[in-house]
Amino acid sequence: MSVALDSKLDIAAIRDWIAEAGDVARHYFGRVQAEWKGIGDPVTAADREIERLLTARIRDAHPDHGIIGEEYGGDTLDRDYLWTIDPIDGT
């Protein structure tokens, strides 16, 4: 199955966002404490900061798209495009 992406998506910009998120993750690497949001469900400052960063980039570039994130939930889920953010899976 193939999925056609909207030609309005700037893949180079998205790669930049991901690189920026990687920089955040590397900044925290080995220097972060996990908190527990539930039994067996850790979260870190890196998770939260990366989700905020990506959400901001997406909202700036695509205000008509929906976003759902693991740390902050989502809104506008009834949009044609829905971004799903799970910053550091398996934290």
Side-chain angles (χ1 to χ4, degrees), residues 65-85:
H65 289 193
I67 301 171
I68 186 167
E70 181 171 359
E71 309 313 330
Y72 296 107
D75 58 8
T76 59
L77 304 180
D78 61 342
R79 304 302 174 108
D80 289 340
Y81 292 90
L82 179 62
W83 297 72
T84 304
I85 304 171

Side-chain angles (χ1 to χ4, degrees), residues 20 24 29 31 38 41 52 63 66 69 74 76 80 87:
E20 194 175 355
V24 172
F29 186 76
R31 296 187 270 167
D41 197 7
R52 284 191 306 267
T76 59
D80 289 340

Side-chain angles (χ1 to χ4, degrees), residues 9-87:
L9 292 177
D10 182 346
I11 300 302
I14 295 168
R15 285 185 179 130
D16 289 344
W17 304 342
I18 300 305
E20 194 175 355
D23 290 342
V24 172
R26 279 187 293 283
H27 168 77
Y28 281 101
F29 186 76
R31 296 187 270 167
V32 69
Q33 295 283 334
E35 300 171 26
W36 299 95
K37 54 185 180 177
I39 296 174
D41 197 7
V43 63
T44 67
D47 289 298
R48 291 184 176 124
E49 186 173 335
I50 290 168
E51 186 169 322
R52 284 191 306 267
L53 167 79
L54 293 174
T55 297
R57 297 296 180 265
I58 294 165
R59 288 205 192 288
D60 287 346
H62 304 285
D64 57 327
H65 289 193
I67 301 171
I68 186 167
E70 181 171 359
E71 309 313 330
Y72 296 107
D75 58 8
T76 59
L77 304 180
D78 61 342
R79 304 302 174 108
D80 289 340
Y81 292 90
L82 179 62
W83 297 72
T84 304
I85 304 171
D86 184 357

